[in-house]
């Protein structure tokens, strides 16, 4: 089956459902259910609450105006952390949590700026994960730097809700337009301004006009665009929301398709307003008739509570299949001992066709606390299935323990079908509880996903994978936002061992983790011999691992204090004479509350996929809010039959990956093998070269404005901190993390028994780069693959034009470039290609636009790549013999030439460098046709030498300013040289006339 990339793009707008279960709804043009959560680490400060309210009040009418009277903010919940003191006005939170908040308030990990930003995983039009404001941004006077806070919020809301991108680019702030003018990367182009360098030293700053870079033809590094204080420009919010007159988004009429910004790259050069109007928010939504903004938003102050969890576990007859009862008890035990945070409350309910409260809520404070619950785990399974009875008993276990179901969590595990489960949906909604569901086996009822979605809970699926159930429970850790409390899974690995054989492995403990560390060994039949060695050589044997008295075939070793950093080596011997499955689980927590651990999260781009449309696998590796690079990230996707697909995820900014080096590793998934549930598991391990922390600013953020031009006067804002180290080593020799990414469902496969592999076109090449090297164009890009981002393409179709518009609208009629010598490489590898643009007459400033397509083995063609423009700049000439600076067309040109042919008499000048301290003397050579050089030729050999350092100084290079020359060093000997420059003369040399200067230019 052939599948068009246009269909992929249409489906892309339906993706991203699994990233963030936002509670936001749009009713009658008003947004309700917005959650703004304050991180527990933020010190209590009531001014934050007031500032948040003022920001949203200011943002609502601005949003109403920007969307042309379509939407506004109606109700907002502010989530107060459990670390703050309780107050009468604080109500109890329900399903609201920090982890799933739309906006978070948290301090940055590094003090390098308070830029508001939005974390965006997906493609154009897909919702983001959250907006991040810092307390300093909310409490300080940032009016000059970011504009009013309400405007910054609307800028970020457009990222979060509608999936648009910034219209500026700090990495490429300028570009050469098709009109051969240098433009700031912006939208629209009618925002005028001045190009300024703001130089600061020891607290003193001064501004100057930007200079041209002769290598690029653009402005020099550190040049910034200072917009004019324009009172008429209405667009665009995604460029500079801080300009007072800006109240609109760029439309198709005003959009700048040339600008090298992320909006053009990600949205195929469509304007932000076009993308916004395609959002589901605006389908069948008419503008309000009133022109005045609606009433100000209302606010609810909600406070999180201490964690309350009730396990609601299936012990029906079907749990006897495939050791499911034993596996459930192993996972429940691990959750209570290793995952659930100390100080939390836990209870237990079991159910079949009836339900029983095994234990009411117990505070987990020591070993005896969870042992009371473990003793009540079911020993046998029997009876039918009534899921609603289990849920109702779970609510009772909570309320009869003097706790509210609001904000409490229920972990519901079942393996059977129950047609009556929907009868209690309304009661579940009213409870305000969060329901995490685990489907064990392919027969688990389909409505489990609905329960999780309506309450903001997780959904997992476990079947054949022996660690799947444990991985699911390990993932259900605290959602308060306190990373130091969350359990981290390092190892989750099973070995199918032969009788009387050893297996081994090693697990690295890095310095960010090591507290509350457990090593767990699980076996199928016979307890193995266990050997564990820490990095300092200490040995732990089988006797050190405690076997549980409830007989669930597992043994556990607790490492007191902080575990030693380095590799922990384990060996297991299968003491059974037959094959046996042995499993190793290692969990830990942060080494210190003040040191953020490296963490990983993973998810699919949607909860339900319609075959054969592709999905995207996402995994984020971070330390706090900072991306961590240098990892090999592998995703394993398993279907109901146990069939597994392994994918290497990439953070290279191509294919499914949005931005390079942002710590988000991505890949397309199309290898479906039937309908039903699939599970995702991701493992990340740092490479031998080590992990790196990316210190760069986030891509999608409200722009810091360097200053303004007011009536021709530059008014500069305080400069933002400059960090030279874009990337720094993490300081760890090896890091490993494992996480379960949840479950998703595949539907629409008409032949599930023999699913054909659907061919898709190669991914779009969106990192094409080019430059002139002399008269040769050198191109680089990342190989896209044959089927999306897999395999390798059949060949490339490379074309050039002197028109940007032609490549964009009429690619097939542009000039083709012969690429027959280029053999495509495997997806993800770098391609290099050079060619001479013989179809163009290269002059200084000549622009060549270039784009490329990839063609697959099935002759499917990718989209047109990003269009790159390369500009031919007359190169500066020079050798290490002698450098002569001169004024030429207003630019400094360094000429070093060795001539052996006849030269016009007007240019025959000789510079004598005196041995004593006399000045250089230049004499016009006599005009004699018979003059011979030392080699007998018609012209003497002319040599340029490099003067000693003390005899040189920078020359003025603007316009036709004459170059001034220093007196030579007394140590130099007289050497005859010839100056060959239009309009360049020494103090003693006569000035060449206009016609003679013109001939000199032509000679050059």
């Amino acid at each position: 089956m052939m599948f068009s990339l246009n269909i992929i793009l249409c489906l892309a707008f339906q993706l991203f459902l699994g990233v963030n279960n936002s509670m936001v709804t749009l009713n009658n043009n008003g947004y309700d259910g917005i959650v703004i959560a304050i991180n527990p680490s933020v010190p209590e400060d009531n001014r934050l609450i007031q500032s948040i309210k003022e920001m949203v009040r200011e943002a609502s009418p601005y949003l109403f105006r920007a969307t042309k009277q379509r939407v506004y903010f109606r109700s907002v919940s502010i989530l107060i952390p459990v670390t703050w003191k309780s107050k009468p006005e604080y109500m109890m939170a329900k399903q609201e949590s920090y982890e799933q908040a739309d906006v978070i308030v948290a301090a940055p990990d590094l003090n390098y700026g308070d830029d508001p930003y939005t974390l965006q995983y997906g493609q154009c039009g897909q919702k983001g994960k959250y907006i991040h404001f810092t307390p300093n941004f909310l409490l300080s006077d940032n009016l000059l730097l970011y504009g009013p806070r309400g405007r910054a919020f609307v800028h970020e809301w457009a990222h979060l809700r509608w999936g648009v991108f910034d219209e500026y680019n700090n990495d490429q702030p300028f570009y050469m337009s098709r009109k051969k003018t240098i433009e700031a990367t912006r939208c629209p182009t009618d925002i005028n301004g001045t190009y300024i360098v703001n130089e600061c030293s020891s607290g003193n700053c001064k501004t100057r006009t930007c200079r041209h870079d002769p290598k690029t033809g653009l402005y020099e590094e550190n040049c910034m665009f200072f917009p004019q204080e324009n009172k008429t420009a209405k667009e665009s919010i995604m460029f500079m929301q801080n300009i007072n007159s800006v109240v609109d988004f760029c439309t198709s009429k005003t959009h700048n398709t040339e600008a090298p910004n992320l909006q053009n790259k990600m949205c195929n050069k469509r304007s932000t307003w076009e993308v916004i109007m395609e959002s589901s928010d605006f389908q069948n939504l008419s503008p309000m008739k009133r022109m005045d903004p609606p009433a100000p938003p209302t606010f609810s102050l909600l406070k999180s509570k201490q964690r309350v969890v009730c396990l609601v576990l299936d012990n029906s007859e079907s749990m006897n299949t495939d050791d499911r009862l034993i596996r459930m008890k192993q996972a429940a035990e691990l959750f209570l001992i290793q995952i659930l945070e100390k100080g939390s409350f836990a209870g237990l309910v079991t159910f079949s066709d009836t339900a029983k409260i095994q234990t009411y809520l117990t505070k987990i404070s020591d070993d005896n606390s969870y042992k009371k619950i473990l003793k009540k785990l079911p020993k046998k399974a029997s009876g039918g299935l009534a899921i609603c009875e289990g849920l109702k008993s779970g609510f009772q276990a909570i309320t009869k323990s003097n706790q509210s179901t609001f904000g409490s969590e229920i972990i519901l595990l079942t393996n059977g079908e129950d047609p009556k489960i929907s009868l209690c949906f309304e009661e579940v909604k009213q409870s305000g509880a969060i329901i995490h569901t685990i489907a064990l086996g392919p027969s688990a009822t389909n409505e489990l996903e609905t329960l999780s979605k309506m309450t903001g809970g997780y959904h997992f699926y476990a079947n054949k994978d022996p660690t799947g159930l444990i991985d699911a429970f390990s993932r259900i850790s605290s959602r308060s936002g306190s990373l130091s409390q969350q359990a981290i899974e390092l190892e989750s690995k099973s070995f199918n061992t032969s009788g009387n054989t050893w297996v081994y492995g090693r697990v690295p403990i890095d310095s960010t983790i090591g507290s509350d560390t457990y090593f767990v060994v699980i076996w199928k039949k016979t307890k193995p011999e266990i050997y564990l060695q820490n990095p300092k050589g200490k040995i732990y044997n089988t006797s050190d691992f405690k076997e549980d008295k409830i007989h669930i075939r597992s043994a556990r070793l607790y490492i007191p204090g902080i575990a030693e950093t380095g590799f922990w080596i384990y060996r297991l011997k299968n003491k059974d004479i037959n094959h046996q499955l042995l499993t190793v689980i290692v969990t830990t927590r942060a080494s210190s509350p003040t040191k953020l651990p490296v963490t990983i999260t993973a998810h699919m781009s949607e909860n339900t996929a319609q075959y054969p449309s592709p999905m995207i696998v996402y995994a984020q590796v971070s330390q706090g809010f900072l991306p961590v690079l240098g990892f090999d990230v592998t995703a394993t996707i398993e279907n109901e039959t146990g069939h597994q697909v392994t994918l290497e995820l990439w953070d290279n900014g191509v294919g499914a990956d949005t931005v390079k080096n942002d710590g988000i590793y991505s890949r397309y998934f199309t290898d479906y093998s039937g309908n039903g549930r699939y599970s995702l598991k991701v493992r990340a391990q740092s490479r031998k070269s080590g992990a790196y922390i990316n210190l760069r600013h986030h891509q999608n953020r409200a722009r810091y404005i360097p200053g303004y031009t007011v009536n021709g006067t530059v008014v500069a804002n305080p400069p933002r901190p400059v960090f030279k180290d874009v990337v720094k080593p993490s300081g760890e020799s090896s890091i490993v993390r494992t996480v379960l990414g949840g479950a998703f469902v595949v539907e629409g496969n008409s032949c599930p028994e023999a699913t054909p592999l659907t061919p898709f076109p190669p991914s779009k090449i969106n990192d094409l780069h080019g430059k002139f090297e002399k008269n040769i164009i050198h191109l680089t890009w990342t190989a896209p693959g044959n089927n999306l981002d897999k395999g390798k393409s059949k060949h490339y179709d490379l074309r050039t034009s002197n028109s940007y518009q032609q490549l964009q609208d009429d690619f097939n009629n542009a000039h083709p470039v012969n690429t027959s010598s280029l053999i495509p490489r495997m997806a993800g590898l770098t391609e290099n290609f050079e060619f001479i643009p013989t179809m163009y007459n290269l002059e200084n400033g000549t622009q060549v636009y270039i784009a490329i397509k990839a063609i697959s083995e099935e002759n499917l063609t990718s989209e047109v790549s990003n269009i790159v423009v390369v500009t031919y700049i007359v190169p500066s000439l020079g050798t290490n013999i002698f450098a002569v600076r001169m004024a030429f067309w207003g630019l400094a040109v360094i000429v070093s030439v060795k001539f052996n042919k006849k030269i016009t008499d007007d240019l025959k000048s000789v510079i004598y460098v005196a041995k004593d301290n006399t000045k250089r003397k230049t004499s016009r050579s006599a005009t004699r046709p018979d003059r011979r050089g030392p080699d007998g030729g018609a012209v003497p050999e002319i040599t340029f030498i490099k003067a000693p350092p003390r005899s040189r100084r920078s020359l003025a290079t603007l316009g036709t300013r004459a170059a001034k020359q220093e007196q030579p060093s007394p140590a130099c000997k007289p050497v005859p040289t010839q100056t060959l420059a239009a309009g360049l003369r020494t103090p003693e040399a006569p000035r060449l006339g206009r016609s003679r200067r013109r001939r000199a230019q032509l000679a050059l």
Side-chain angles (χ1 to χ4, degrees), residues 111-132:
N111 186 24
Y112 71 103
D114 295 288
D115 290 357
Y117 73 89
T118 302
L119 181 61
Q120 286 180 273
Y121 282 83
Q123 307 296 309
C124 181
Q126 298 175 8
K127 292 182 175 66
K129 186 171 175 63
Y130 59 74
I131 298 170
H132 178 194

Side-chain angles (χ1 to χ4, degrees), residues 693-706:
I693 297 173
N694 191 346
L695 301 183
R696 299 193 65 152
H697 291 277
H698 291 269
Q699 289 278 346
N700 305 302
R701 66 182 190 273
R703 186 179 186 182
Y704 157 86
I705 188 166

Side-chain angles (χ1 to χ4, degrees), residues 144 163 250 261 505 705 751:
L144 294 176
C250 259
N261 54 39
I705 188 166
C751 47

Side-chain angles (χ1 to χ4, degrees), residues 514 516-517 540 558-563:
D516 205 23
T517 303
Y540 300 88
Y558 172 70
I559 306 299
I562 306 299

Side-chain angles (χ1 to χ4, degrees), residues 67-78:
T67 58
K68 299 173 174 54
Q69 292 77 47
R70 284 177 170 84
V71 293
Y72 65 99
F73 297 126
R74 183 160 47 210
S75 66
V76 175
S77 296
I78 302 176

